[in-house]
Amino acid sequence: MIRPLADLMRPKTIDEIIGQKDLVGESGFIRRMIENKSLSNIILWGPPGCGKTTIARAIANSVDMDFVPMSAIFSGTADIKKVMETAKANNNIGRNTLLFIDEIHRFNKTQQDTLLPYLENGTVVFIGATTENPSFNLNNALLSRCHVGVLHSLSEADLLSIIDSAEKFLQKTLPLTQQAKEHLANMADGDARFLLNTVEYISNIKQTDLITPDALDNIIQKHALRSDKNGDEHYNLISAVHKSLRASDTDAALYWVARMMTSGQDPMYIFRRLTRFAMEDIGLADPNAMQIALSAWQIYERMGSPEGDIALTNLVIYLGTAPKSISGYKAQTLAWNTAKETGSTVPPKNILNAPTKMMQNMGYGKDYIYDPETETGCSGQNCFPEGMKRVTFYPPIERGFEREIKKRLEYWNSFRKN
């Protein structure tokens, strides 16, 4: 069997691991566990190609344990029980087992629960690997029995070190200019596996001239940007868009929207969130924002990409540079809460219609004033339930169009008696 370079070069001990110093560096908790010869169960959470499997194997090697790898995609409850029986037999002859389950988030609740008694009695030391947020995808019972180690994408410097190590391992110099090596590290987007697979491919190319960054783009396909439709990365990116707009950092918002679009996110979802932003975070500080959001959305639906992409860009710029206000959002929350507290109070009779004689006799519509016919355009008549103290739900801010709204409200409120 021909083993890929990424497997051949896999570090054997934690000292050989490049990156992830928070876990395996001098003060990393995994290094302390190994030095103290006291391993705990661990969940390794991080993006693809950051070293989760490598760290698990290195731990087993460092403490001389049997390493048993499993994939939650291809394994089930029966496989777990079979491994545990073997582990119990090994325990009887003095051999300890480290069970590594990749993609642990793929196990359902029952499968995860199957692990619990074996972790409780120490049949195995368990390490699970996941690319998904464990607090969302793993049972609390399993999480409570594990330390969570957070891994990060490898830096460009880390990836360049891996390229140097690969050249030493292969005993050959890659036909790449230094700029091309840096470009390759950037293309890998933190994924060591992609990097080494690409290095292996390039090392087998018969090349007389050194490959430049432009030539490298023609030789290999760029690594797809990390993204998903409903996982952590999806929500991280849209959160970055939303909060950048809220901070009026238009350039950052443009960057995060570009990240979403170039990684294949659904444009309709982005437009929906931007329209929501126009309503909630800009509101009446710029009433045009909502209409512009809807117009840009409709333009994109009609034109599609790439022609409609500029509509999205223009919308992001408009929202980023618009004045921000959540006074409307606050007004809704306060009004709804007050409505729930006051119950089924009826409107005052002066603002009720009286279509029948009986209703007229009951005082419906009595003393009603038609405000547009008054000299000031505002009578100041009470429109709250009788006996209810007037509440100010909407105090406009001194930004954007709400400055004008504030002047109007102050004028109209000057006619009110309470």
Side-chain angles (χ1 to χ4, degrees):
M1 182 178 66
I2 299 175
R3 294 168 59 195
L5 180 63
D7 188 48
L8 291 170
M9 286 188 58
R10 192 184 299 277
K12 301 296 189 296
T13 68
I14 61 170
D15 292 323
E16 299 173 10
I17 293 173
I18 295 175
Q20 311 306 342
K21 298 305 180 187
D22 289 344
L23 300 181
V24 299
E26 291 185 4
S27 59
F29 84 86
I30 288 179
R31 179 176 289 275
R32 292 199 304 270
M33 283 184 181
I34 293 173
E35 290 176 347
N36 295 329
K37 300 186 185 305
S38 177
L39 295 186
S40 298
N41 303 311
I42 304 171
I43 299 294
L44 296 176
W45 170 33
C50 66
K52 298 184 291 294
T53 304
T54 295
I55 289 177
R57 286 184 178 274
I59 292 173
N61 290 335
S62 298
V63 295
D64 191 27
M65 297 179 70
D66 287 344
F67 182 79
V68 179
M70 293 178 62
S71 171
I73 298 174
F74 304 110
S75 305
T77 302
D79 300 293
I80 295 173
K81 291 180 178 179
K82 186 176 180 180
V83 168
M84 296 305 176
E85 290 302 317
T86 302
K88 288 178 182 177
N90 286 340
N91 288 341
N92 292 333
I93 60 173
R95 290 293 299 171
N96 296 321
T97 302
L98 190 152
L99 172 62
F100 173 72
I101 301 181
D102 199 12
E103 305 288 346
I104 183 63
H105 61 276
R106 301 289 190 121
F107 270 170
N108 59 35
K109 184 179 185 302
T110 300
Q111 291 168 322
Q112 291 181 35
D113 286 346
T114 302
L115 293 167
L116 300 181
Y118 302 109
L119 305 192
E120 198 71 39
N121 62 27
T123 301
V124 296
V125 171
F126 165 70
I127 297 181
T130 177
T131 57
E132 303 290 338
N133 189 326
S135 62
F136 295 148
N137 294 282
L138 298 183
N139 298 346
N140 288 332
L142 181 59
L143 274 179
S144 68
R145 291 164 171 81
C146 301
H147 289 280
V148 176
V150 181
L151 287 77
H152 304 284
S153 297
L154 297 178
S155 68
E156 185 173 325
D158 292 334
L159 295 171
L160 287 171
S161 295
I162 292 174
I163 293 175
D164 291 340
S165 298
E167 289 183 323
K168 293 176 183 176
F169 182 87
L170 295 169
Q171 297 183 334
K172 63 165 61 175
T173 300
L174 296 173
L176 298 170
T177 65
Q178 182 59 34
Q179 290 79 11
K181 288 182 179 180
E182 293 170 359
H183 185 52
L184 176 57
N186 180 263
M187 292 172 71
D189 194 28
D191 188 336
R193 187 183 300 109
F194 171 86
L195 180 80
L196 287 172
N197 288 341
T198 305
V199 165
E200 183 174 19
Y201 172 73
I202 293 172
S203 69
N204 293 320
I205 294 176
K206 293 182 179 180
Q207 184 79 22
T208 54
D209 298 327
L210 291 180
I211 298 171
T212 64
D214 289 340
L216 186 63
D217 285 336
N218 293 328
I219 293 172
I220 62 173
Q221 186 176 7
K222 183 173 175 59
H223 189 211
L225 294 177
R226 191 164 57 249
S227 182
D228 49 47
K229 296 295 179 68
N230 53 19
D232 284 342
E233 195 69 16
H234 168 77
Y235 292 109
N236 286 344
L237 290 175
I238 197 61
S239 177
V241 171
H242 204 107
K243 290 180 173 63
S244 297
L245 288 173
R246 190 177 288 160
S248 297
D249 193 338
T250 306
D251 291 324
L254 285 168
Y255 169 76
W256 293 118
V257 168
R259 280 281 301 275
M260 295 191 76
M261 290 292 287
T262 56
S263 62
Q265 294 283 333
D266 181 7
M268 297 300 103
Y269 175 80
I270 300 173
F271 274 108
R272 184 172 71 82
R273 287 298 296 259
L274 293 179
T275 303
R276 172 184 169 183
F277 180 87
M279 293 186 295
E280 291 184 1
D281 291 86
I282 295 176
L284 294 178
D286 185 351
N288 289 327
M290 287 182 282
Q291 187 58 51
I292 288 174
L294 289 173
S295 296
W297 193 346
Q298 188 176 48
I299 289 170
Y300 190 92
E301 286 181 323
R302 292 189 175 188
M303 300 188 69
S305 183
E307 293 87 353
D309 293 343
I310 191 62
L312 175 60
T313 298
N314 287 342
L315 174 59
V316 173
I317 294 171
Y318 191 94
L319 299 182
T321 55
K324 310 299 188 297
S325 171
I326 59 169
S327 54
Y329 185 79
K330 288 182 175 180
Q332 174 191 308
T333 302
L334 182 57
W336 285 39
N337 289 340
T338 303
K340 292 175 183 177
E341 293 171 0
T342 54
S344 301
T345 51
V346 296
K349 289 183 178 179
N350 61 299
I351 62 172
L352 294 178
N353 289 331
T356 67
K357 187 69 174 178
M358 183 186 75
M359 295 172 76
Q360 292 175 10
N361 293 336
M362 293 174 65
Y364 282 44
K366 183 181 179 181
D367 298 328
Y368 172 67
I369 303 171
Y370 187 65
D371 290 79
E373 288 186 345
T374 64
E375 183 178 351
T376 60
C378 183
S379 65
Q381 64 186 320
N382 177 52
C383 297
F384 272 88
E386 293 179 3
M388 177 179 170
K389 185 178 180 181
R390 183 176 187 82
V391 182
T392 299
F393 298 116
Y394 171 60
I397 60 173
E398 286 283 356
R399 282 197 296 275
F401 184 69
E402 283 195 273
R403 290 174 179 168
E404 178 61 29
I405 295 177
K406 185 174 184 179
K407 294 177 185 177
R408 297 178 188 178
L409 286 176
E410 288 174 348
Y411 174 73
W412 290 324
N413 287 335
S414 67
F415 296 99
R416 307 196 191 282
K417 299 176 182 179
N418 64 336

